[in-house]
Amino acid sequence: MTARFDAIGLVVSDMAASVAFYRRLGLVFPDGAEDQPHTEAALPGGLRLMFDTEETVRSFLPGWRPPAGGGGGRASLALHCDGPEEVDALYDRLVGAGYHGELKPWDAFWGQRYAVVHDPDGNGVDLFAPLAGE
């Protein structure tokens, strides 16, 4: 028997806000997901992105509390965009919709157009694409 990587789970404080954010990134959640205590979206390669509300987690782990402290988060999700222009456009759409832009798009020294936005719970979402000729 071998364990295999299957899903990424995030605890969210506002299911509707999280579903709306990730739908803007192209993920498909079931209709009515914003009203559920748990939801999932299929990711490429057969993986899943799962959300559970804080209340759901506390139902089986009563002492659970969100991480505290300042600074950046401990985890991020990375989305490979079709090109540098898409990085810029997606960043602008998300920031224009009121989401926090952590790092404006820039040409990173490792050969990518790269930007970071935060989801409603402060998780980093990296947007990247190879630079032309890379």
Side-chain angles (χ1 to χ4, degrees):
M1 181 160 87
T2 303
R4 61 183 173 81
F5 187 60
D6 183 70
I8 300 164
L10 297 177
V11 179
V12 301
S13 58
D14 182 333
M15 183 66 79
S18 294
V19 167
F21 176 84
Y22 284 96
R23 279 182 173 154
R24 286 181 181 270
L25 292 171
L27 276 70
V28 178
F29 290 90
D31 289 341
E34 50 280 324
D35 299 319
Q36 299 300 312
H38 171 90
T39 193
E40 301 178 7
L43 300 174
L47 296 175
R48 297 170 295 137
L49 178 60
M50 304 182 306
F51 296 156
D52 289 292
T53 63
E54 293 177 356
E55 295 79 18
T56 299
V57 173
R58 283 190 198 102
S59 74
F60 58 85
L61 192 60
W64 184 88
R65 298 288 174 264
R74 295 178 184 226
S76 66
L77 303 176
L79 281 75
H80 187 165
C81 297
D82 288 336
E85 312 79 30
E86 186 182 10
V87 171
D88 292 7
L90 189 50
Y91 179 90
D92 289 343
R93 279 198 314 267
L94 292 168
V95 171
Y99 299 104
H100 175 71
E102 176 70 12
L103 179 63
K104 291 181 180 180
W106 66 294
D107 293 342
F109 62 85
W110 57 84
Q112 294 176 335
R113 186 70 174 168
Y114 189 85
V116 180
V117 294
H118 285 174
D119 74 5
D121 290 295
N123 296 304
V125 177
D126 303 354
L127 310 172
F128 72 92
L131 291 169
E134 297 292 322

